[in-house]
Amino acid sequence: MKEGIVMEEERIKKTFLLVEPFLPEKVVSDFEHFIDESIEIRQMYHYNSQLNEMLRDSIRTLREKLKEAEQKLRNSEEKNFN
């Protein structure tokens, strides 16, 4: 998926370079700004996805540790009760 987006972006840039000489300077500037923002948004999305995955892993690990601690507490209470 990621490669497809990059390839599509490259194709758009190449096409734009063909018509660029015929466009007003403002349009060229706006397009370059648009591409820069697109790249930045894609990088932020990738970073956010990685962060979400790390948070899921942390939650999963903490949940497992909590279950282990609860089990140890139950075992300890059973030993003390008997």
Side-chain angles (χ1 to χ4, degrees):
M1 175 77 179
K2 188 176 180 181
E3 292 84 18
I5 293 171
V6 172
M7 288 178 63
E8 182 69 22
E9 186 178 279
E10 289 300 318
R11 200 169 82 203
I12 291 170
K13 284 181 182 180
K14 286 178 183 178
T15 304
F16 184 77
L17 287 174
L18 293 174
V19 296
E20 182 181 5
F22 306 105
L23 298 173
E25 192 173 306
K26 175 75 171 130
V27 173
V28 173
S29 172
D30 287 349
F31 178 77
E32 290 170 349
H33 181 72
F34 169 77
I35 290 294
D36 291 342
E37 282 184 345
S38 171
I39 292 168
E40 186 177 326
I41 289 170
R42 188 173 65 246
Q43 289 171 341
M44 288 187 323
Y45 174 78
H46 180 69
Y47 171 79
N48 192 34
S49 296
Q50 287 178 324
L51 183 60
N52 284 338
E53 186 59 34
M54 287 178 7
L55 290 172
R56 278 190 217 103
D57 288 344
S58 295
I59 290 169
R60 194 175 307 118
T61 300
L62 290 172
R63 186 179 294 132
E64 290 170 2
K65 287 183 179 184
L66 179 61
K67 285 180 182 179
E68 289 174 9
E70 287 174 342
Q71 185 63 38
K72 286 180 183 178
L73 181 62
R74 278 191 224 111
N75 291 342
S76 175
E77 287 174 349
E78 287 176 6
K79 285 181 184 178
N80 290 337
F81 184 71
N82 291 330

